[in-house]
């Protein structure tokens, strides 16, 4: 599952460094080529909202295998796409795979490992996420230079096939859970499948609001790190790649460290992470011209930012143990929406008022996320 997550994330962000050759070959603008990322996000949101309802009677092992197969099909379609429309169809299939797989992941981990090991299981998944999110863009650029953008996209297909076969061999049968009686099962299915009904619970609504602000703030800043590093910190491409790699490696360390704290300090961790990230955003505004200070701050960003999904995944497993699949769908939809909002709003501010306003917005949103996490904690006490 961790390998599949890494391939999913790498596939999602691969176009970032390949927009120019894609646009040139398919005869579209770079802006239209960039919609290859947007469409996968849109379909991920839609899938995550309804996957629990549509698959509630199907063995979860088969469902995960189907989403992994979609990943293989998507990569193949994109690789051989003769025109822009076929490319977008392939990317839409990727969005379905992303939304479905991520929505199921927490619930599956809860069934595969003992309760006390859930944070460690989620940390393993997010370690793959951290590495893939960091290397996908530079790796795509490197592969694109040697084997073309089509070859870069096809490079993920063998890895996706390995993940599919590995899951099929290693995962046990995971039949959908039923209540004791027939009527209870039907009622349970309806409750679990109704994603939006979960928002009627105050702790859930506050938690999801905190997640929304967290990821909106995170991606308002993260999306525009490269132009910030090139123009404000004034680093070379080689130094930029090293900084991004260090940030990703720090993320792997962060997911490992946070899993040991979540057992007894879940909400303090959820409150502290966005608060520290807000401080880092302000630190980048103040000291962004210094390469040394920026490097230290970005290591901190990776350390805490990548640990956040592990914390909120653990929160999901404890807050909605009977509705983990529907809750997972709602959480993934919230995160994908937040990524879109953060990137678009941050971009508008970046162009209209300067980079520092984008980073300041990130700090404000992250501070709000911390306050809402504290409110979610208080609502449970």
């Amino acid at each position: 599952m961790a390998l599949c997550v890494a391939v999913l994330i790498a596939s999602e962000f691969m176009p970032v460094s390949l927009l120019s050759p894609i646009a040139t070959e398919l005869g579209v603008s770079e802006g239209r080529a960039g919609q290859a990322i947007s469409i996968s996000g849109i379909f991920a949101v839609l899938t995550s909202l309804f996957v629990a309802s549509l698959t509630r009677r199907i063995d979860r092992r088969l469902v995960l295998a189907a989403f992994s197969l979609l990943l293989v099909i998507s990569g193949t379609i994109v690789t051989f796409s003769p025109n822009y429309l076929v490319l977008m169809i392939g990317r839409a299939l990727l969005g379905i795979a992303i939304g479905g797989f991520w929505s199921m992941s927490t619930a599956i981990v809860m069934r595969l490992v003992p309760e006390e090991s859930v944070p460690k299981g989620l940390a393993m998944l997010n370690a793959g996420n951290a590495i893939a999110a960091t290397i996908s863009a530079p790796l795509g650029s490197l592969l694109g230079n040697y084997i073309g953008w089509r070859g870069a996209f096809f490079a993920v297909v063998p890895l996706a096939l390995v993940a599919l076969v590995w899951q099929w061999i290693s995962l046990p049968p995971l039949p959908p859970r039923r209540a004791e009686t027939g009527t209870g099962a039907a009622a349970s299915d309806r409750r679990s499948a109704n994603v939006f009904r979960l928002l009627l619970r105050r702790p859930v609504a506050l938690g999801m609001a905190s997640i929304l602000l967290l990821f909106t703030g995170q991606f308002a800043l993260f999306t525009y790190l490269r132009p910030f590093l090139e123009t404000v910190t004034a680093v070379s491409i080689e130094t930029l790649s090293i900084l991004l790699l260090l940030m990703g490696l720090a993320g792997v360390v962060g997911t490992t460290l946070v899993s040991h704290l979540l057992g007894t300090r879940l909400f303090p961790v959820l409150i502290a992470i966005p608060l520290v990230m807000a401080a880092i955003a302000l630190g980048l505004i103040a000291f962004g011209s210094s390469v040394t200070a920026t490097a230290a701050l970005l290591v901190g960003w990776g350390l805490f930012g990548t640990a956040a999904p592990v914390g909120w995944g653990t929160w999901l497993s404890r807050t909605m143990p009977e509705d983990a699949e529907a809750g997972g769908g709602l959480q993934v939809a919230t995160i994908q929406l937040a990524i879109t909002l953060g990137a678009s709003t941050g971009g508008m501010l970046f162009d209209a008022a300067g980079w520092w306003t984008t980073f300041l917005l990130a700090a404000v949103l992250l501070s709000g996320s911390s306050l809402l996490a504290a409110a979610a904690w208080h609502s449970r006490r």
Side-chain angles (χ1 to χ4, degrees):
M1 287 178 67
L3 175 61
C4 192
V5 163
V7 178
L8 281 169
I9 300 303
S11 300
E12 182 177 15
F13 293 110
M14 187 79 78
V16 169
S17 57
L18 298 170
L19 290 185
S20 297
I22 293 173
T24 301
E25 183 172 337
L26 297 183
V28 297
S29 68
E30 291 190 0
R32 288 190 69 194
Q35 298 306 313
I37 297 175
S38 301
I39 194 170
S40 61
I42 291 169
F43 274 82
V45 170
L46 294 174
T47 303
S48 60
L49 289 175
F50 300 107
V51 65
S53 174
L54 296 175
T55 65
R56 64 181 183 270
R57 301 185 187 280
I58 306 175
D59 190 303
R60 271 54 195 132
R61 176 171 176 253
L62 182 59
V63 173
L64 285 189
F67 287 128
S68 301
L69 180 60
L70 268 185
L71 176 58
V72 175
I73 295 171
S74 166
T76 305
I77 290 176
V78 170
T79 300
F80 298 104
S81 55
N83 53 52
Y84 179 71
L85 177 61
V86 176
L87 173 76
M88 296 300 274
I89 291 172
R91 295 293 297 180
L93 292 178
L94 174 65
I96 294 172
I98 291 170
F101 197 96
W102 268 118
S103 298
M104 293 284 181
S105 60
T106 298
I108 298 299
V109 169
M110 289 170 63
R111 297 182 63 175
L112 291 177
V113 302
E115 182 179 353
E116 63 274 12
S117 299
V118 169
K120 292 182 181 178
L122 296 175
M124 289 181 64
L125 291 184
N126 281 280
N129 177 11
I131 295 173
T134 302
I135 69 171
S136 57
L139 182 62
S141 179
L142 178 66
L143 292 175
N145 286 335
Y146 287 99
I147 57 179
W149 69 268
R150 295 181 185 274
F153 276 105
F154 189 73
V156 303
V157 173
L159 290 174
L161 278 171
V162 170
L164 170 61
V165 173
W166 195 349
Q167 286 176 83
W168 189 255
I169 293 173
S170 61
L171 282 176
L174 297 166
R177 286 178 168 171
R178 303 287 185 184
E180 289 288 326
T181 65
T183 55
S188 176
D189 282 343
R190 285 193 296 271
R191 285 195 304 271
S192 181
N194 192 341
V195 171
F196 299 104
R197 190 182 186 90
L198 296 174
L199 291 174
L200 297 176
R201 307 178 194 173
R202 180 176 171 81
V204 174
L206 289 170
M208 291 299 172
S210 179
I211 291 170
L212 180 68
L213 292 189
L214 168 66
F215 284 93
T216 303
Q218 181 177 2
F219 279 86
L221 189 150
F222 176 75
T223 306
Y224 302 99
L225 266 182
R226 177 162 182 166
F228 163 78
L229 292 171
E230 289 177 333
T231 59
V232 179
T233 315
V235 299
S236 64
I237 295 297
E238 292 77 12
T239 304
L240 186 149
S241 299
I242 292 172
L243 290 176
L244 293 178
L245 180 61
L246 287 174
M247 187 172 67
L249 293 175
V252 176
V253 174
T255 59
T256 303
L257 294 178
V258 78
S259 66
H260 298 293
L261 298 174
L262 294 174
T264 56
R265 298 179 179 87
L266 174 59
F267 276 99
V269 169
L270 295 179
I271 294 167
I273 285 176
L275 205 56
V276 173
M277 293 174 69
I280 291 172
L282 294 176
L284 289 171
I285 294 174
F287 306 107
S289 59
S290 166
V291 176
T292 303
T294 299
L297 289 167
L298 289 184
V299 167
W301 182 271
L303 191 71
F304 287 91
T306 311
V310 183
W312 283 108
T314 304
W315 167 82
L316 173 68
S317 69
R318 296 181 186 176
T319 305
M320 295 168 276
E322 301 302 321
D323 293 302
E325 290 184 2
L330 181 61
Q331 188 178 68
V332 170
T334 301
I335 292 171
Q336 290 289 333
L337 175 62
I339 291 172
T340 303
L341 288 174
S344 58
T345 306
M348 288 188 289
L349 279 177
F350 196 97
D351 291 338
W355 66 270
W356 67 271
T357 59
T358 298
F359 284 33
L360 182 60
L361 171 68
V364 171
L365 292 172
L366 289 164
S367 298
S369 173
S370 181
L371 291 174
L372 285 170
W377 186 20
H378 180 74
S379 68
R380 287 171 53 89
R381 304 179 78 173

